[in-house]
Short mmCIF file of all heavy atoms in Angstrom, two decimals:
data_model
loop_
_atom_site.label_atom_id
_atom_site.label_comp_id
_atom_site.label_asym_id
_atom_site.label_seq_id
_atom_site.Cartn_x
_atom_site.Cartn_y
_atom_site.Cartn_z
N ALA A 61 138.68 182.92 110.90
CA ALA A 61 138.26 181.51 110.89
C ALA A 61 138.81 180.80 109.65
O ALA A 61 139.25 179.64 109.73
CB ALA A 61 136.75 181.41 110.94
N GLU A 62 138.81 181.47 108.51
CA GLU A 62 139.34 180.87 107.28
C GLU A 62 140.84 180.60 107.40
O GLU A 62 141.33 179.53 107.00
CB GLU A 62 139.07 181.78 106.09
CG GLU A 62 137.61 181.87 105.70
CD GLU A 62 137.35 182.88 104.59
OE1 GLU A 62 138.27 183.66 104.27
OE2 GLU A 62 136.23 182.89 104.06
N LEU A 63 141.58 181.55 107.95
CA LEU A 63 143.02 181.38 108.08
C LEU A 63 143.35 180.29 109.12
O LEU A 63 144.30 179.53 108.94
CB LEU A 63 143.68 182.70 108.47
CG LEU A 63 143.64 183.78 107.38
CD1 LEU A 63 144.16 185.11 107.93
CD2 LEU A 63 144.45 183.36 106.16
N ALA A 64 142.56 180.23 110.18
CA ALA A 64 142.77 179.16 111.16
C ALA A 64 142.51 177.80 110.50
O ALA A 64 143.25 176.84 110.73
CB ALA A 64 141.84 179.35 112.35
N GLY A 65 141.49 177.73 109.64
CA GLY A 65 141.21 176.50 108.92
C GLY A 65 142.31 176.10 107.97
O GLY A 65 142.47 174.92 107.64
N ALA A 66 143.11 177.10 107.53
CA ALA A 66 144.23 176.82 106.63
C ALA A 66 145.51 176.50 107.39
O ALA A 66 146.57 176.32 106.78
CB ALA A 66 144.47 178.02 105.71
N GLY A 67 145.43 176.44 108.73
CA GLY A 67 146.58 176.01 109.51
C GLY A 67 147.38 177.10 110.19
O GLY A 67 148.46 176.83 110.72
N TYR A 68 146.88 178.34 110.19
CA TYR A 68 147.59 179.44 110.84
C TYR A 68 147.12 179.64 112.27
O TYR A 68 145.96 179.35 112.60
CB TYR A 68 147.38 180.74 110.06
CG TYR A 68 148.04 180.78 108.71
CD1 TYR A 68 147.34 180.39 107.58
CD2 TYR A 68 149.36 181.20 108.58
CE1 TYR A 68 147.94 180.42 106.32
CE2 TYR A 68 149.96 181.23 107.33
CZ TYR A 68 149.25 180.83 106.21
OH TYR A 68 149.86 180.85 104.98
N ARG A 69 148.01 180.16 113.11
CA ARG A 69 147.63 180.64 114.44
C ARG A 69 147.15 182.08 114.27
O ARG A 69 147.91 182.94 113.83
CB ARG A 69 148.82 180.58 115.39
CG ARG A 69 149.28 179.18 115.77
CD ARG A 69 150.55 179.24 116.61
NE ARG A 69 151.69 179.66 115.81
CZ ARG A 69 152.80 180.20 116.31
NH1 ARG A 69 152.89 180.43 117.61
NH2 ARG A 69 153.79 180.54 115.51
N VAL A 70 145.91 182.32 114.64
CA VAL A 70 145.28 183.61 114.32
C VAL A 70 144.67 184.23 115.57
O VAL A 70 144.05 183.55 116.38
CB VAL A 70 144.17 183.43 113.26
CG1 VAL A 70 143.67 184.79 112.79
CG2 VAL A 70 144.66 182.61 112.09
N ALA A 71 144.85 185.55 115.68
CA ALA A 71 144.20 186.34 116.73
C ALA A 71 143.41 187.46 116.07
O ALA A 71 144.00 188.42 115.57
CB ALA A 71 145.23 186.91 117.70
N PRO A 72 142.09 187.36 116.01
CA PRO A 72 141.30 188.46 115.44
C PRO A 72 141.22 189.64 116.40
O PRO A 72 141.22 189.47 117.63
CB PRO A 72 139.92 187.83 115.25
CG PRO A 72 139.85 186.78 116.31
CD PRO A 72 141.25 186.24 116.44
#
Side-chain angles (χ1 to χ4, degrees):
E62 290 175 349
L63 292 173
Y68 291 93
R69 291 174 290 158
V70 188

